[in-house]
Amino acid sequence: MALFMSCLSTWILKEYLGIFLEKFKSDWLCNVRLGVFFLWQVCSILDIFKWPKYCILTISILAVLIVSFNYEGNLIKKLVFTIVYNSIWMLIEFLIGFIFIIIGLNYISQELLGSLFSKVVLMIFVEALKRFFGNEKIKELPHSYNMILVLIPLGSMFVVYTSFLMSAGSHKLLHIFWSFVSLVIMLLINLLIFTIYLKLSQDLELRQKNVVYKQEIDLYNRHIEEKENSMLEFRKARHDLKNQLIFLLERCERKEYKEVEQFLEQLIEKAPFDSLTISKTDNSVVDALINYKYSIAKRMGIDFMVKLDIPMHLPYDNADMCIILGNALDNALEANLRSEIKKRYIKLNMRMENNNIAIIVENSFDGHINKSKKGKFLTAKTDKLDHGMGLDSIERSVNKYHGFIKTSYTENVFVIEVLLYGE
């Protein structure tokens, strides 16, 4: 029975963690972690270690947390769902214990049966969670949100455990009834954590999307403004050109060809029809974004070189192009502004072939790279909640088109390469 219930507990835990965390590829280390949890369950069911209950609970939380490392996600997120899992498991066991007391069974002598019932209820609960949250994409919340949410299950475990000991020891039916009601309320509050986490996750994703859409609207406005400025420059140049042609005609009639030649050379150097824009693909999003970043680079003394071979219409969502191209250029500008090297530059190469687009951004930088323990690049921006997009957001947009992203760097050169596949 102990082996059976330990296997059941291990399976339930795998199902639970798989709902909220993305699984790693199974390997021997994953199996070792599951084995550790399984052995601890056997020891707990057989009551091998005569330790205080709070020690047993602490080790159980650690055992679940160890298994959570078989899945992707940051440590704080794993800790939240680990503690919530143990809290609900504990509340269900106390619920079964109260039911035993109400119907007149000795919950201590029937501990094995109660443990089995609690696992069956927990299994039903996890299957219900899988049905409601299995198709949802749970984003990682900021640490401050996680730390607040984790206080709910921790407080619930303390309150319910204390209430159970007091009511069970008093043997008064009224105390047991109100403790039972309190337990049900605490269980419902813990169940709400999953909904709260999902809503906060969706709210965070919506805020980040709003940042992208706002950026896209700003780019459209800048593109319209550039078109209007170009039209004004064209009208002015056309007006000036009429007077210039009259002047040239007079000089030709006088056969003053030397002055005509000099005047034409000066006219060519002024290039009245050229604007300060560098991107002229007629793709409003790409042109507006590149020209805006170009104006910033020029103001900061950064050489900005582009090579664009793309059509007017691209088979990709404009929001994704804003995320990919905008973040890549933002990172390049930021790296150059933090750089102390003399020659600051950005090279952008966009090429469309066979309905697939390749984007290569190369920039100078100071050689300093911020990385997490998992090897991911970290942003140097202070507002990580609203601007925490970076390479992770580029990667999410790239994955929508089954493309890939590659980063490489040498002592003073950083390169990001993106390939997107069209339909």
Side-chain angles (χ1 to χ4, degrees), residues 332 336 345-349 360-364 413-416:
N336 274 284
Y345 73 91
I346 297 174
K347 291 182 180 179
L348 171 63
N349 189 345
I360 303 174
V361 179
E362 177 186 327
N363 62 270
S364 57
V413 177
F414 189 93
V415 180
I416 177 172

Side-chain angles (χ1 to χ4, degrees), residues 278-281 286-287 290-291 294 303-311 325 329 346-353 357-362:
I278 195 173
S279 177
K280 301 176 183 179
T281 65
V286 173
D287 287 346
I290 293 177
N291 289 331
Y294 170 69
D303 290 335
F304 198 119
M305 296 157 278
V306 300
K307 185 177 181 182
L308 307 174
D309 186 11
I310 61 172
L325 195 56
L329 292 177
I346 297 174
K347 291 182 180 179
L348 171 63
N349 189 345
M350 295 181 66
R351 184 176 67 257
M352 190 83 176
E353 289 184 4
I357 190 170
I359 304 173
I360 303 174
V361 179
E362 177 186 327

Side-chain angles (χ1 to χ4, degrees), residues 44-58:
S44 299
I45 294 170
L46 297 179
D47 200 17
I48 294 177
F49 303 108
K50 306 296 182 179
W51 293 336
K53 293 297 183 181
Y54 65 86
C55 291
I56 301 294
L57 178 61
T58 303

Side-chain angles (χ1 to χ4, degrees), residues 245-309:
L245 291 175
I246 292 173
F247 173 80
L248 288 174
L249 181 60
E250 291 178 352
R251 291 296 179 270
C252 288
E253 290 176 351
R254 297 178 183 180
K255 298 183 180 182
E256 296 176 353
Y257 301 121
K258 186 65 176 179
E259 290 187 13
V260 171
E261 183 180 353
Q262 292 176 352
F263 185 82
L264 287 174
E265 289 176 355
Q266 294 175 0
L267 190 62
I268 293 172
E269 289 179 0
K270 290 181 180 180
F273 297 104
D274 287 343
S275 66
L276 296 176
T277 59
I278 195 173
S279 177
K280 301 176 183 179
T281 65
D282 289 330
N283 183 294
S284 58
V285 172
V286 173
D287 287 346
L289 201 152
I290 293 177
N291 289 331
Y292 175 57
K293 304 301 181 185
Y294 170 69
S295 65
I296 297 176
K298 189 172 183 180
R299 187 167 62 250
M300 298 299 179
I302 302 171
D303 290 335
F304 198 119
M305 296 157 278
V306 300
K307 185 177 181 182
L308 307 174
D309 186 11

Side-chain angles (χ1 to χ4, degrees), residues 27-38 66-67 69-70:
D27 56 16
W28 66 271
L29 191 57
C30 295
N31 295 327
V32 169
R33 296 189 185 105
L34 287 172
V36 170
F37 177 81
F38 175 82
I66 288 172
V67 177
F69 283 97
N70 291 352

Side-chain angles (χ1 to χ4, degrees), residues 114-144:
S115 179
L116 178 60
F117 283 163
S118 67
K119 287 175 175 56
V120 172
V121 174
L122 183 63
M123 180 180 65
I124 296 172
F125 162 74
V126 170
E127 286 301 313
L129 282 180
K130 191 174 181 180
R131 180 179 295 272
F132 286 104
F133 296 99
N135 297 325
E136 299 290 345
K137 181 68 175 178
I138 308 295
K139 290 177 65 67
E140 295 180 353
L141 296 179
H143 294 340
S144 58

Side-chain angles (χ1 to χ4, degrees), residues 190-217:
N190 278 265
L191 294 179
L192 285 175
I193 293 178
F194 299 104
T195 303
I196 293 172
Y197 201 101
L198 178 61
K199 294 300 182 182
L200 289 174
S201 175
Q202 291 174 343
D203 179 67
L204 178 62
E205 186 176 9
L206 182 62
R207 289 177 63 180
Q208 291 183 341
K209 285 182 177 180
N210 286 339
V211 172
V212 175
Y213 293 145
K214 182 178 181 300
Q215 182 186 25
E216 188 175 351
I217 292 171

